[in-house]
C-alpha cells in the first residue's frame, strides 16, 4: 500500500460535508483534541449563553422560573436530545448525573419486573454502572443480585430470573459496540427489560432507541454532547412505560403539581416524574449551547465521518508506528466500534503524558490503554494525521521515558 501523505489527508477535509461545524467551537489553535469523548470542546455560543442567563438571574431573580421558563428547560432539552437518540419528544428529560440516573432506572426496572431479582450486566461495563448496581444489592440485602458475564455470554445468561439487562452501548475502554437492537430483543424474549447507557454513543452516531424497542436509557451531557464539565445527564423512558414507572427517588420536582406542596407524592403524568430536585439552570444553559452545536446536523454524516477518522487513524498508526509495541484493543472491524480507537502499551500512561505535552490530547484508561476519541463535529482529518506524526515522534525518541511522565494525576 502506498503511504498516506498529509496533502492526501487535506483533500479529505476539503470534501468533508461537516467541515463547517468546526467553527461552532472555540478550540485552542495549538492543540489537536482527541478527547471529546471524555469532555466535549467549548461551543462558541456557550459563554454568551451563560452570561445571558446570569444576567437574567440578576434582573429577573425568582421571576426567571416563569418568565424565562427555566422550569421547563429539563423537558425542552430532553426533547432536543430525543432527536439525537431516536426517541420521541416526551420520552427524554435532562436530570442529575448519569450515575444517579442509573440508580433511578435500575430500581424502577426491578419494580416493573417484580418477582425477578437479577440485574444482568457485562464484566467490562463502565465502573459506575456496576457500582450503582452493587450499592442496590447491598441495600436490598441480597433480595437482588448482580450477575456479570463477558459480552459473548450475555444472551445465554438471560434466564427467567433476570429483571433487567443493563449495558453500555459503546465500551469506554475499547470502543467496542453492542448490537443494541439484537440484545434488546433477546432481553425481551427472556421477559426482561433493557437499560442502555449511551454515554459513549449519543452525539457520535445515529441511535434508534424507539425502533430497537429499548425500554430505558441514560446518558451524559459533557461528552459528545458538548455540555461542559460535569454537565447534567438525561433519562429516556419508552412511552409505553411512562405511566407505569414509579421512581424510587421521588422528589418534589417529579410530583404532578410541585407547587401544590402536597405532602403525599403523586408522580407527574409524563417523563417529568423522573425529575427529583430543582434543575441546575446555569449548567442547563451550557448544555443548551452544547446541543446547539448539533443544530441541522445529519447524524448519518456524523457516523460516516467518525468511521473515516477512525479508519484513517488506524491506517496511519500502522504506517508510522509499527514496531513500537502498540497493540490495538478496539474491534478490528471499525463498523463494530464507536468513535474512538484504543491501543494497549505497557508504558501507556507515560506515552500519553508525553503526547499531551506535544499538543495532542487523548487520554489513558487503566491498566494500559491509550484512548483516542474522534468528535466528528470538530476533529479534522489533518488533526488525525498530525496526531499520528506526534505519536510516532514520542515513540521513536522515547520522549515518554522521563520520570515526570510517570506521576499519575488524579484524573487520567
Ligand atoms: C462517562 C460515563 C459515565 C459517567 O457518569 P457520571 O455520573 O456523569 O460521572 C457513566 N457511564 C458511562 C458508560 C460513561 O462512559
Amino acid at each position: 500500500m502506498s503511504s498516506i501523505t498529509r496533502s492526501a489527508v487535506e483533500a479529505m477535509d476539503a470534501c468533508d460535508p461537516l467541515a463547517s461545524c468546526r467553527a461552532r467551537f472555540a478550540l485552542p489553535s495549538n492543540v489537536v483534541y482527541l478527547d471529546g469523548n471524555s469532555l466535549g470542546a467549548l461551543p462558541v455560543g456557550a459563554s454568551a449563553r451563560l452570561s445571558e442567563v446570569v444576567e437574567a438571574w440578576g434582573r429577573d431573580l425568582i421571576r426567571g422560573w416563569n418568565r424565562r421558563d427555566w422550569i421547563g428547560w429539563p423537558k425542552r432539552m430532553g426533547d432536543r436530545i430525543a432527536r439525537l437518540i431516536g426517541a420521541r419528544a416526551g420520552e427524554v428529560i435532562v436530570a442529575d448525573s448519569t450515575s444517579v440516573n442509573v440508580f433511578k432506572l435500575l430500581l424502577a426496572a426491578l419494580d416493573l419486573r417484580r418477582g425477578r431479582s437479577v440485574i444482568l450486566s457485562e464484566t467490562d461495563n463502565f465502573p459506575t454502572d456496576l457500582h450503582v448496581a452493587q450499592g442496590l444489592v447491598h441495600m436490598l440485602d441480597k433480595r437482588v443480585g448482580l450477575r456479570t458475564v463477558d459480552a459473548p455470554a450475555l444472551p445465554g445468561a438471560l434466564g427467567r430470573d433476570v429483571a433487567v439487562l443493563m449495558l453500555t452501548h459503546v465500551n469506554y475502554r475499547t470502543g467496542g459496540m453492542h448490537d443494541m437492537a439484537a440484545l434488546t430483543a433477546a432481553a425481551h424474549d427472556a421477559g426482561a427489560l433493557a437499560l442502555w447507557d449511551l454515554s459513549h454513543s449519543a452525539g457520535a452516531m445515529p441511535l434508534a432507541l424507539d425502533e430497537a424497542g429499548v425500554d430505558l436509557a441514560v446518558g451524559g451531557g459533557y461528552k459528545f454532547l458538548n455540555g461542559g464539565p460535569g454537565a447534567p445527564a438525561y433519562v429516556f423512558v419508552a412511552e409505553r412505560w411512562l405511566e407505569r414507572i414509579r421512581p424510587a427517588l421521588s422528589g418534589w420536582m417529579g410530583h404532578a403539581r410541585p407547587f401544590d406542596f402536597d405532602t403525599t407524592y403523586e408522580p407527574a403524568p409524563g417523563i417529568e416524574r423522573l425529575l427529583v430536585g430543582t434543575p441546575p439552570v446555569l449548567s442547563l444553559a451550557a448544555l443548551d449551547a452544547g446541543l446547539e452545536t448539533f443544530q441541522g446536523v445529519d447524524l448519518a454524516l456524523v457516523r460516516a465521518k467518525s468511521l473515516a477518522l477512525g479508519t484513517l487513524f488506524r491506517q496511519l498508526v500502522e504506517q508510522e508506528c509499527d514496531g513500537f509495541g502498540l497493540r490495538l484493543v478496539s474491534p478490528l472491524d471499525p463498523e463494530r466500534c464507536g468513535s474512538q480507537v484504543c491501543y494497549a502499551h505497557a508504558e501507556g500512561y507515560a506515552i500519553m503524558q508525553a503526547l499531551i505535552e506535544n499538543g495532542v490530547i487523548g487520554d489513558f484508561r487503566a491498566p494500559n490503554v491509550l484512548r483516542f476519541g474522534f468528535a466528528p463535529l470538530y476533529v479534522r482529518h489533518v488533526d488525525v494525521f498530525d496526531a499520528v506524526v506526534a505519536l510516532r515522534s514520542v515513540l521513536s525518541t522515547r520522549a515518554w521515558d522521563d520520570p515526570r511522565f510517570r506521576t499519575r494525576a488524579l484524573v487520567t
Side-chain angles (χ1 to χ4, degrees):
M1 193 183 83
S2 63
S3 69
I4 301 165
T5 62
R6 196 171 194 279
S7 59
V9 170
E10 280 168 359
M12 296 174 185
D13 283 324
C15 59
D16 167 14
L18 295 179
S20 66
C21 293
R22 184 174 165 89
R24 299 178 179 189
F25 297 89
L27 285 155
S29 57
N30 55 349
V31 155
V32 169
Y33 192 56
L34 302 184
D35 213 1
N37 52 320
S38 210
L39 174 63
L42 171 68
V44 166
S47 97
R49 188 85 181 87
L50 277 164
S51 306
E52 191 187 303
V53 177
V54 168
E55 277 162 32
W57 168 19
R59 199 173 44 246
D60 295 333
L61 297 162
I62 196 141
R63 294 170 294 182
W65 288 105
N66 291 318
R67 230 180 233 180
R68 309 268 156 197
D69 192 35
W70 291 338
I71 199 70
W73 283 9
K75 175 77 173 7
R76 188 161 64 77
M77 288 178 207
D79 288 346
R80 292 187 89 173
I81 292 171
R83 172 182 90 86
L84 301 178
I85 62 176
R88 283 184 283 269
E91 290 183 319
V92 182
I93 200 155
V94 172
D96 306 303
S97 65
T98 304
S99 306
V100 170
N101 289 333
V102 168
F103 178 88
K104 293 193 282 195
L105 292 188
L106 272 183
L107 266 176
L110 289 163
D111 181 48
L112 289 167
R113 281 290 177 267
R114 280 181 189 230
R116 292 169 174 245
S117 60
V118 172
I119 298 166
L120 175 62
S121 192
E122 181 186 0
T123 324
D124 194 28
N125 199 348
F126 190 85
T128 203
D129 302 57
L130 298 176
H131 296 340
V132 167
Q134 288 157 4
L136 288 180
V137 171
H138 175 79
M139 292 306 292
L140 297 173
D141 197 22
K142 309 263 175 351
R143 275 173 290 145
V144 168
L146 170 64
R147 179 183 302 155
T148 54
V149 299
D150 291 342
L154 283 166
L158 274 165
R160 308 306 299 185
D161 52 353
V162 175
V164 54
L165 172 64
M166 171 183 72
L167 292 174
T168 297
H169 184 214
V170 169
N171 185 284
Y172 74 104
R173 194 160 35 197
T174 65
M177 183 161 69
H178 283 300
D179 183 336
M180 185 186 281
L183 282 162
T184 298
H188 290 169
D189 285 347
L193 299 182
L195 162 52
W196 289 94
D197 186 331
L198 311 175
S199 290
H200 278 283
S201 41
M205 62 186 72
L207 293 171
L209 263 64
D210 280 331
E211 198 183 306
V214 170
D215 301 287
L216 308 165
V218 298
Y222 53 80
K223 293 175 180 169
F224 289 111
L225 300 190
N226 308 313
Y234 57 90
V235 192
F236 160 91
V237 176
E239 209 169 77
R240 63 187 174 281
W241 294 117
L242 277 176
E243 298 303 315
R244 272 183 282 173
I245 197 165
R246 171 83 194 201
L249 270 177
S250 40
W252 74 309
M253 282 294 149
H255 191 280
R257 296 165 307 279
F259 285 85
D260 276 8
F261 292 96
D262 186 353
T263 48
T264 303
Y265 179 72
E266 180 195 327
I271 190 73
E272 281 93 341
R273 68 177 61 185
L274 271 301
L275 293 177
V276 183
T278 307
V281 172
L282 297 179
S283 301
L284 286 168
L287 176 61
D288 201 32
L291 296 174
E292 196 63 33
T293 64
F294 285 91
Q295 190 61 40
V297 169
D298 176 354
L299 287 161
L301 294 179
V302 169
R303 174 63 173 163
K305 183 172 174 192
S306 157
L307 285 172
L309 294 169
T311 303
L312 177 64
F313 189 81
R314 289 162 186 252
Q315 289 169 339
L316 285 166
V317 167
E318 221 167 276
Q319 176 182 304
E320 303 292 327
C321 304
D322 195 33
F324 294 117
L326 291 175
R327 179 175 58 82
L328 181 72
V329 293
S330 297
L332 263 180
D333 177 2
E335 297 278 354
R336 303 195 49 200
C337 194
S339 206
Q340 65 189 62
V341 178
C342 309
Y343 294 88
H345 192 292
E347 295 291 346
Y349 185 78
I351 293 168
M352 185 51 77
Q353 298 322 299
L355 196 57
I356 291 171
E357 197 179 78
N358 279 275
V360 177
I361 304 181
D363 64 19
F364 171 81
R365 286 295 173 262
N368 60 355
V369 173
L370 295 128
R371 204 164 65 146
F372 300 93
F374 309 101
L377 295 190
Y378 50 85
V379 174
R380 296 166 300 195
H381 297 80
V382 283
D383 294 323
V384 168
F385 188 91
D386 296 343
V388 178
V389 169
L391 178 60
R392 181 196 163 80
S393 156
V394 162
L395 291 167
S396 66
T397 62
R398 294 180 65 91
W400 53 266
D401 196 1
D402 187 315
R404 78 199 150 98
F405 292 138
R406 292 223 166 77
T407 318
R408 295 260 174 121
L410 225 45
V411 177
T412 62

XYZ file of all heavy atoms in Angstrom, residues 37-38 96-102 125-129 168-172 197-200 218-223 230-231 233 371, ligand 1:
260
model
N -14.613 12.604 23.543
C -15.441 11.523 24.076
C -15.425 11.541 25.608
O -16.189 10.832 26.250
C -14.933 10.171 23.571
C -13.444 9.974 23.820
O -12.663 10.914 23.656
N -13.047 8.793 24.207
N -14.554 12.366 26.188
C -14.472 12.441 27.641
C -14.978 13.794 28.128
O -15.715 13.876 29.114
C -13.013 12.246 28.064
O -12.944 11.643 29.323
N -29.948 15.366 36.798
C -28.942 14.682 37.614
C -27.706 14.237 36.811
O -27.418 14.791 35.771
C -29.608 13.496 38.344
C -30.832 13.969 39.140
O -30.674 14.848 39.994
O -31.950 13.493 38.861
N -27.004 13.248 37.325
C -25.829 12.719 36.620
C -26.191 11.348 36.043
O -27.206 10.756 36.419
C -24.653 12.577 37.586
O -24.973 11.606 38.568
N -25.357 10.851 35.166
C -25.598 9.523 34.602
C -25.681 8.484 35.718
O -26.577 7.630 35.720
C -24.475 9.167 33.605
O -24.410 10.202 32.615
C -24.731 7.846 32.927
N -24.761 8.582 36.673
C -24.752 7.597 37.771
C -26.075 7.596 38.526
O -26.655 6.533 38.797
C -23.621 7.908 38.755
O -22.384 7.990 38.090
N -26.552 8.786 38.882
C -27.814 8.886 39.629
C -28.965 8.350 38.775
O -29.864 7.664 39.274
C -28.074 10.350 40.074
C -29.477 10.513 40.641
C -27.030 10.783 41.103
N -28.909 8.625 37.481
C -29.979 8.146 36.611
C -29.963 6.622 36.467
O -31.014 5.990 36.334
C -29.897 8.838 35.245
C -30.292 10.310 35.346
O -31.068 10.694 36.236
N -29.758 11.133 34.469
N -28.782 6.032 36.514
C -28.702 4.562 36.507
C -29.413 4.027 37.756
O -30.209 3.085 37.682
C -27.226 4.071 36.466
C -27.138 2.580 36.753
C -26.598 4.388 35.117
N -18.280 -3.571 31.971
C -19.103 -2.352 31.886
C -18.372 -1.214 32.581
O -17.431 -1.430 33.352
C -20.469 -2.584 32.541
C -21.521 -1.564 32.090
O -21.200 -0.548 31.457
N -22.769 -1.826 32.415
N -18.802 0.006 32.334
C -18.206 1.167 32.992
C -18.411 1.022 34.506
O -19.507 0.699 34.952
C -18.880 2.441 32.474
C -18.182 3.697 32.893
C -17.107 4.182 32.163
C -18.590 4.402 34.013
C -16.456 5.348 32.542
C -17.942 5.573 34.398
C -16.876 6.046 33.663
N -17.356 1.284 35.302
C -17.466 1.018 36.741
C -18.682 1.635 37.423
O -19.342 0.955 38.219
C -16.159 1.596 37.297
C -15.188 1.443 36.163
C -15.993 1.665 34.909
N -19.022 2.877 37.119
C -20.106 3.493 37.898
C -21.412 2.717 37.764
O -22.154 2.547 38.728
C -20.289 4.989 37.542
O -20.929 5.644 38.642
C -21.120 5.220 36.294
N -21.687 2.203 36.583
C -22.929 1.444 36.373
C -22.948 0.215 37.291
O -23.967 -0.116 37.897
C -23.066 1.017 34.906
C -23.057 2.217 33.947
O -22.067 2.988 33.979
O -24.018 2.383 33.186
N -23.754 -0.846 28.527
C -23.296 0.388 27.897
C -23.106 0.086 26.418
O -22.465 -0.906 26.057
C -21.988 0.869 28.547
O -22.258 1.163 29.913
C -21.475 2.119 27.863
N -23.692 0.940 25.568
C -23.710 0.666 24.135
C -22.298 0.587 23.557
O -21.948 -0.360 22.862
C -24.527 1.761 23.436
C -24.709 1.550 21.979
N -24.769 2.583 21.084
C -24.831 0.417 21.249
C -24.922 2.092 19.863
N -24.974 0.784 19.941
N -21.458 1.600 23.863
C -20.074 1.609 23.389
C -19.149 1.545 24.593
O -19.244 2.372 25.499
C -19.790 2.875 22.543
C -18.292 3.015 22.272
C -20.553 2.822 21.224
N -18.278 0.559 24.606
C -17.370 0.344 25.726
C -16.365 1.491 25.847
O -15.731 1.877 24.876
C -16.644 -0.991 25.529
C -15.763 -1.340 26.708
O -14.692 -0.782 26.882
N -16.239 -2.260 27.531
N -16.226 2.002 27.070
C -15.376 3.193 27.269
C -13.900 2.906 27.026
O -13.138 3.797 26.686
C -15.561 3.741 28.696
C -14.903 2.914 29.777
C -13.721 3.329 30.376
C -15.450 1.702 30.188
C -13.109 2.570 31.364
C -14.840 0.931 31.162
C -13.670 1.379 31.748
O -13.065 0.619 32.712
N -26.857 2.440 28.578
C -26.085 3.637 28.883
C -25.477 4.122 27.557
O -24.709 3.393 26.920
C -24.987 3.292 29.902
C -24.216 4.516 30.385
O -24.107 5.490 29.614
O -23.707 4.473 31.521
N -25.850 5.334 27.173
C -25.461 5.859 25.857
C -24.274 6.819 25.936
O -24.001 7.562 24.983
C -26.653 6.592 25.229
C -27.983 5.840 25.236
C -29.103 6.734 24.705
C -27.882 4.559 24.400
N -23.579 6.813 27.065
C -22.531 7.812 27.313
C -21.540 7.971 26.161
O -21.132 9.083 25.855
C -21.756 7.453 28.579
O -22.573 7.653 29.704
N -21.136 6.857 25.552
C -20.114 6.954 24.513
C -20.667 6.814 23.103
O -19.896 6.668 22.156
C -19.010 5.911 24.751
C -18.016 6.366 25.764
N -17.032 7.274 25.478
C -17.891 6.095 27.076
C -16.316 7.528 26.559
N -16.822 6.817 27.552
N -29.936 5.918 29.724
C -29.320 7.079 30.373
C -28.145 7.533 29.510
O -27.657 6.784 28.667
C -28.762 6.735 31.777
C -29.856 6.294 32.719
C -27.671 5.659 31.680
N -27.712 8.742 29.744
C -26.511 9.232 29.064
C -26.122 10.557 29.660
O -26.896 11.162 30.412
N -24.928 11.010 29.311
C -24.408 12.226 29.924
C -24.391 13.398 28.965
O -24.524 13.240 27.754
N -24.184 14.599 29.513
C -24.210 15.809 28.702
C -22.841 16.342 28.334
O -22.715 17.196 27.469
N -21.780 15.855 28.980
C -20.483 16.530 28.810
C -19.535 15.862 27.829
O -18.475 16.375 27.550
C -19.783 16.705 30.170
C -19.638 15.440 30.997
C -18.626 14.531 30.740
C -20.508 15.176 32.046
C -18.488 13.383 31.493
C -20.382 14.030 32.817
C -19.368 13.137 32.533
O -19.244 12.009 33.288
N -19.898 14.712 27.281
C -19.005 14.042 26.327
C -19.310 14.554 24.919
O -19.099 15.720 24.650
C -19.132 12.534 26.490
C -18.589 12.095 27.867
C -18.762 10.624 28.187
C -18.191 10.337 29.575
N -18.554 9.007 30.070
N -18.966 18.314 33.765
C -19.989 17.931 34.736
C -21.408 18.304 34.330
O -22.300 18.392 35.180
N -21.644 18.497 33.035
C -22.989 18.859 32.557
C -24.035 17.849 33.032
O -23.718 16.677 33.243
C -23.006 18.917 31.025
N -27.088 15.157 33.027
C -27.301 13.976 32.195
C -28.780 13.899 31.787
O -29.552 14.813 32.050
C -26.886 12.736 32.977
N -6.238 6.118 24.733
C -7.539 6.267 24.105
C -7.548 7.519 23.229
O -7.156 8.594 23.670
C -8.575 6.405 25.226
C -9.966 6.022 24.881
C -10.796 5.834 26.134
N -10.962 7.066 26.893
C -12.052 7.383 27.588
N -13.080 6.548 27.601
N -12.125 8.487 28.266
C -18.650 8.820 31.422
C -19.571 7.705 31.798
C -20.372 7.798 32.927
C -20.233 8.980 33.820
O -21.195 9.070 34.794
P -21.272 10.397 35.678
O -22.355 10.106 36.633
O -21.527 11.529 34.764
O -19.951 10.593 36.336
C -21.265 6.761 33.187
N -21.339 5.681 32.380
C -20.549 5.570 31.277
C -20.662 4.377 30.405
C -19.634 6.566 30.966
O -18.842 6.441 29.909
